[in-house]
Amino acid sequence: MPKNSKVTQREHSSEHVTESVADLLALEEPVDYKQSVLNVAGETGGKQKAVEEELDAEDRPAWNSKLQYILAQIGFSVGLGNIWRFPYLCQKNGGGAYLVPYLVLLIIIGIPLFFLELAVGQRIRRGSIGVWHYICPRLGGIGFSSCIVCLFVGLYYNVIIGWSIFYFFKSFQYPLPWSECPVVRNGSVAVVEAECEKSSATTYFWYREALDISDSISESGGLNWKMTLCLLVAWSIVGMAVVKGIQSSGKVMYFSSLFPYVVLACFLVRGLLLRGAVDGILHMFTPKLDKMLDPQVWREAATQVFFALGLGFGGVIAFSSYNKQDNNCHFDAALVSFINFFTSVLATLVVFAVLGFKANIMNEKCVVENAEKILGYLNTNVLSRDLIPPHVNFSHLTTKDYMEMYNVIMTVKEDQFSALGLDPCLLEDELDKSVQGTGLAFIAFTEAMTHFPASPFWSVMFFLMLINLGLGSMIGTMAGITTPIIDTFKVPKEMFTVGCCVFAFLVGLLFVQRSGNYFVTMFDDYSATLPLTLIVILENIAVAWIYGTKKFMQELTEMLGFRPYRFYFYMWKFVSPLCMAVLTTASIIQLGVTPPGYSAWIKEEAAERYLYFPNWAMALLITLIVVATLPIPVVFVLRHFHLLSDGSNTLSVSYKKGRMMKDISNLEENDETRFILSKPQVFIY
């Protein structure tokens, strides 16, 4: 064999090497490896491309360290949903009782499928398009659907980062601009803004000052220039972070992934020292066991698991594709899943500690306001002073004293009680007021921070944390788009990445209209959820039932150096796909029973009202779902009827540590090359 042969150079090396059969037969290194393809069926294009991909994988970029890779996966999986969606779901679905379905689904669906995505990305070393083309060419549309879902999510997710940027810069003021209602001049009289007086200062700032929101999705209201500028800043930051792939994004992850934990730790310590924090935490961990039997709770828990771990987006596959072949991705799956769950619980503790403090503040305010009403009734003889217990002191009225007085009045004045307009001022009622998603971060939490000493400092830290959490997730989302496209179509990395950011910014202008928040709801709650679930199911089926669980487990054993637990075999083969099929069916039924809608802010009422999407918005929603899932049946039909080459009959030979490994899994059964290579008498001298 010539001295310049790859086999001669690497026969004692542990590095994985791939050569075309033409190289081995010729016993020399070809002048142009892209042309060195064994033509079996006369279709050189597909074979040439596949061999080229095998060889290009040798020069694939790699993470600088294992720590950098782990931080990247953590940054992608731990996002804004851990801070506001998980605590909201706990609050809504029975406190500690919600943790049971979440943990069960995390174990039987989340961790197994997360491990699966890590493994296929690391094994095949391609983005989502290349991975699913390799696993099952007819289901190669899964990769394209993943890219589309990533695009949909990235469009609105970066808008939320833009909102955080707006609040971040507004936080450098004392007092905070959302701590008090604005005063307007009505002639010579100064009055409080009516919309703010009916709601609250933080609610008014969010809906009117930040979003300047319209009354419905049908009223666009034009662009909000402040949010348009913030969106431009957000996309500029994301673009700079991902323009050079993992070479640039990997360095960003050191800060964007670790800084949020510093802030959460600070908030936890500060929150536990607040008066009433224990009330909030006890409320959160007091389980309402009846909720555990609600199918809706399990469905929402499954959706949260998918979004929390980034399943189906392609970002997990993209990041793992830059790993070395012998990396222990089984350990990575367990570690990242645990950190993700730990972060969600930590964030929930922080949120409920702060909300417990806020609930006590609001409860005391309620007591004071209603005590003033009672004093007014006493002074006008509407109520007799005999109804007031002798030990009650209105100048130092406690919640307990007020409740005693309230119960006496309600008992004696039973018939006229409703006309008095007195509130019970129960702490439990304040804690039960669930605020969803963005409202939890931009209304409830910001209101609580106005009562903190040095409130601007805490506000700056909080919104800087949100920006970093969002940035980490956006880097993974962009990797889910750019990595498979660059791998498959060989487009210039920098140019394509910049083009994606510019395109996404222009389309994202839809979300910075005055009605933009309603479109965020449409994309977040509906357009991505159903396609994402379908993608995850098909990924599981492609590996477990088409590629073969036994074969996949054997390849994992060779790659990792040990055999994964038998637990994964049963999860991939039976339990996970069955559970996901049931949950998907439940989601479709739920969508049919409850028409999609959104919470609209009505200016005149200064309150939210749930509205159903109009017909044109429903048509847009259905179109988005169809567009996201369409590549799957299209690619299947095209390849089933041989209208699109699936790269079959592509032959590559890999060897490692002096041992030749034949990859003939994608050859036709009657292919002569399969027959030749299946013979055991294959040697290299």
Side-chain angles (χ1 to χ4, degrees):
M1 179 175 291
K3 293 182 180 180
N4 62 348
S5 168
K6 295 178 185 176
V7 178
T8 303
Q9 294 173 2
R10 302 185 185 179
E11 62 180 338
H12 300 296
S13 173
S14 61
E15 184 179 356
H16 187 278
V17 183
T18 302
E19 291 188 273
S20 65
V21 171
D23 295 350
L24 296 173
L25 296 177
L27 298 181
E28 60 182 8
E29 191 164 356
V31 176
D32 185 359
Y33 69 85
K34 294 182 180 181
Q35 303 300 325
S36 302
V37 182
L38 180 64
N39 190 343
V40 176
E43 298 178 0
T44 60
K47 295 191 286 288
Q48 180 173 329
K49 182 178 180 181
V51 174
E52 179 182 339
E53 288 180 353
E54 289 265 0
L55 293 166
D56 286 348
E58 297 299 323
D59 300 321
R60 191 172 186 78
W63 298 103
N64 290 336
S65 65
K66 180 65 175 282
L67 175 62
Q68 190 180 75
Y69 163 68
I70 292 295
L71 290 178
Q73 290 287 14
I74 292 172
F76 177 47
S77 64
V78 176
L80 299 174
N82 297 77
I83 301 299
W84 61 48
R85 183 170 174 80
F86 189 90
Y88 160 72
L89 290 174
C90 281
Q91 186 179 25
K92 174 188 174 186
N93 295 320
Y98 173 75
L99 298 178
V100 175
Y102 184 85
L103 272 174
V104 170
L105 293 172
L106 179 65
I107 292 171
I108 67 175
I109 295 179
I111 295 177
L113 295 182
F114 188 60
F115 177 34
L116 184 146
E117 289 199 1
L118 290 177
V120 296
Q122 180 174 309
R123 171 70 178 86
I124 303 170
R125 306 196 73 193
R126 290 290 159 197
S128 56
I129 295 176
V131 161
W132 300 115
H133 169 79
Y134 178 92
I135 296 290
C136 178
R138 291 184 182 181
L139 290 180
I142 295 175
F144 291 99
S145 288
S146 293
C147 291
I148 295 173
V149 170
C150 278
L151 175 62
F152 287 172
V153 172
L155 287 174
Y156 76 81
Y157 206 88
N158 225 23
V159 174
I160 300 174
I161 297 179
W163 295 342
S164 302
I165 291 172
F166 176 78
Y167 269 79
F168 172 74
F169 285 109
K170 286 290 186 179
S171 298
F172 291 94
Q173 302 178 40
Y174 186 81
L176 291 170
W178 51 81
S179 60
E180 297 177 353
C181 286
V183 177
V184 294
R185 305 291 301 184
N186 186 6
S188 59
V189 180
V191 296
V192 176
E193 174 65 48
E195 184 181 3
C196 183
E197 189 175 25
K198 291 180 182 178
S199 54
S200 69
T202 50
T203 303
Y204 174 82
F205 187 88
W206 166 241
Y207 283 117
R208 191 56 51 211
E209 296 293 333
L211 300 181
D212 193 18
I213 200 166
S214 61
D215 286 352
S216 72
I217 195 172
S218 299
E219 304 173 26
S220 69
L223 290 177
N224 180 337
W225 70 267
K226 292 177 289 188
M227 289 304 168
T228 302
L229 183 60
C230 290
L231 181 63
L232 178 62
V233 173
W235 275 114
S236 299
I237 294 173
V238 171
M240 288 186 288
V242 301
V243 67
K244 292 188 178 296
I246 62 171
Q247 285 84 359
S248 56
S249 62
K251 296 178 176 63
V252 174
M253 286 297 184
Y254 283 110
F255 181 77
S256 65
S257 297
L258 294 176
F259 178 74
Y261 290 96
V262 176
V263 178
L264 281 176
C266 294
F267 265 101
L268 180 62
V269 173
R270 185 68 187 92
L272 292 176
L273 296 176
L274 294 171
R275 178 170 48 88
V278 176
D279 295 325
I281 294 174
L282 289 177
H283 177 76
M284 181 263 171
F285 280 106
T286 302
K288 299 175 183 177
L289 300 179
D290 59 309
K291 288 286 188 179
M292 291 172 55
L293 303 176
D294 188 352
Q296 176 71 9
V297 174
W298 288 80
R299 188 181 67 84
E300 291 184 345
T303 303
Q304 179 63 17
V305 168
F306 291 163
F307 277 92
L309 293 178
L311 299 177
F313 287 98
V316 172
I317 294 176
F319 282 158
S320 64
S321 70
Y322 299 111
N323 270 335
K324 296 179 180 179
Q325 284 281 315
D326 58 352
N327 175 63
N328 188 352
C329 56
H330 176 263
F331 171 78
D332 300 343
L335 177 64
V336 175
S337 299
F338 169 76
I339 292 176
N340 187 287
F341 177 70
F342 167 77
T343 306
S344 297
V345 174
L346 176 63
T348 303
L349 286 173
V350 171
V351 168
F352 274 86
V354 174
L355 291 184
F357 166 70
K358 173 179 174 288
N360 274 270
I361 295 291
M362 300 306 295
N363 193 57
E364 291 173 359
K365 182 180 178 182
C366 175
V367 168
V368 171
E369 291 175 351
N370 283 271
E372 291 176 353
K373 287 183 182 180
I374 293 174
L375 278 174
Y377 293 142
L378 293 174
N379 294 332
T380 56
N381 296 321
V382 174
L383 294 176
S384 171
R385 292 189 178 272
D386 295 336
L387 299 177
I388 309 302
H391 65 275
V392 171
N393 183 355
F394 277 92
S395 61
H396 296 88
L397 189 64
T398 65
T399 303
K400 182 180 179 180
D401 289 342
Y402 172 77
M403 282 304 303
E404 184 179 352
M405 185 169 54
Y406 175 88
N407 290 328
V408 171
I409 295 172
M410 183 174 62
T411 303
V412 176
K413 295 287 185 178
E414 183 177 357
D415 296 334
Q416 299 87 19
F417 183 76
S418 59
L420 297 177
L422 297 177
D423 297 317
C425 297
L426 296 175
L427 182 64
E428 190 75 12
D429 292 341
E430 285 293 334
L431 291 170
D432 280 333
K433 289 181 180 178
S434 57
V435 184
Q436 183 175 7
T438 53
L440 181 62
F442 295 102
I443 298 177
F445 211 87
T446 52
E447 183 174 353
M449 285 190 296
T450 60
H451 301 288
F452 284 15
S455 54
F457 167 78
W458 293 104
S459 184
V460 167
M461 294 288 284
F462 177 71
F463 289 108
L464 185 59
M465 177 187 70
L466 292 188
I467 293 170
N468 279 277
L469 284 170
L471 179 60
S473 296
M474 274 302 300
I475 289 174
T477 302
M478 289 298 294
I481 300 173
T482 58
T483 298
I485 298 296
I486 292 171
D487 286 347
T488 304
F489 301 104
K490 308 302 179 187
V491 295
K493 182 193 302 181
E494 289 82 1
M495 186 180 300
F496 178 70
T497 302
V498 172
C500 281
C501 293
V502 172
F503 172 78
F505 167 73
L506 294 176
V507 177
L509 295 177
L510 172 72
F511 302 97
V512 290
Q513 303 175 96
R514 291 182 58 203
S515 61
N517 189 44
Y518 307 137
F519 287 97
V520 171
T521 300
M522 177 190 292
F523 276 68
D524 187 20
D525 291 349
Y526 301 104
S527 68
T529 303
L530 194 59
L532 190 66
T533 308
L534 178 62
I535 288 170
V536 175
I537 291 176
L538 291 177
E539 286 182 354
N540 199 164
I541 292 174
V543 172
W545 289 93
I546 300 177
Y547 192 78
T549 311
K550 290 183 179 179
K551 179 181 177 181
F552 186 60
M553 289 287 281
Q554 181 59 36
E555 292 194 0
L556 285 182
T557 303
E558 294 179 0
M559 182 175 72
L560 301 176
F562 63 90
R563 188 172 185 83
Y565 297 120
R566 192 74 177 173
F567 164 81
Y568 292 105
F569 178 90
Y570 294 109
M571 293 300 105
W572 291 332
K573 191 77 172 179
F574 305 109
V575 179
S576 295
L578 180 61
C579 291
M580 287 187 293
V582 172
L583 292 168
T584 303
T585 304
S587 298
I588 295 173
I589 293 174
Q590 179 70 21
L591 199 60
V593 172
T594 306
Y598 61 101
S599 294
W601 179 258
I602 310 301
K603 182 176 181 179
E604 290 73 19
E605 302 174 7
E608 289 184 338
R609 185 195 300 170
Y610 189 81
L611 302 178
Y612 295 118
F613 285 119
N615 291 335
W616 66 266
M618 282 298 300
L620 175 60
L621 175 58
I622 294 171
T623 301
L624 292 172
I625 294 175
V626 170
V627 168
T629 55
L630 191 60
I632 297 173
V634 168
V635 172
F636 181 87
V637 170
L638 291 177
R639 284 181 171 159
H640 180 76
F641 292 102
H642 306 291
L643 300 176
L644 180 67
S645 172
D646 63 359
S648 63
N649 299 322
T650 301
L651 179 64
S652 64
V653 180
S654 301
Y655 54 93
K656 187 175 183 180
K657 295 182 180 179
R659 179 171 59 89
M660 182 173 177
M661 299 188 302
K662 304 174 289 297
D663 182 8
I664 59 174
S665 58
N666 55 354
L667 297 178
E668 302 293 340
E669 288 295 331
N670 59 351
D671 197 299
E672 293 180 1
T673 313
R674 173 184 286 274
F675 175 77
I676 295 171
L677 286 179
S678 64
K679 299 296 183 182
Q681 300 87 357
V682 178
F683 303 98
I684 301 178
Y685 297 99

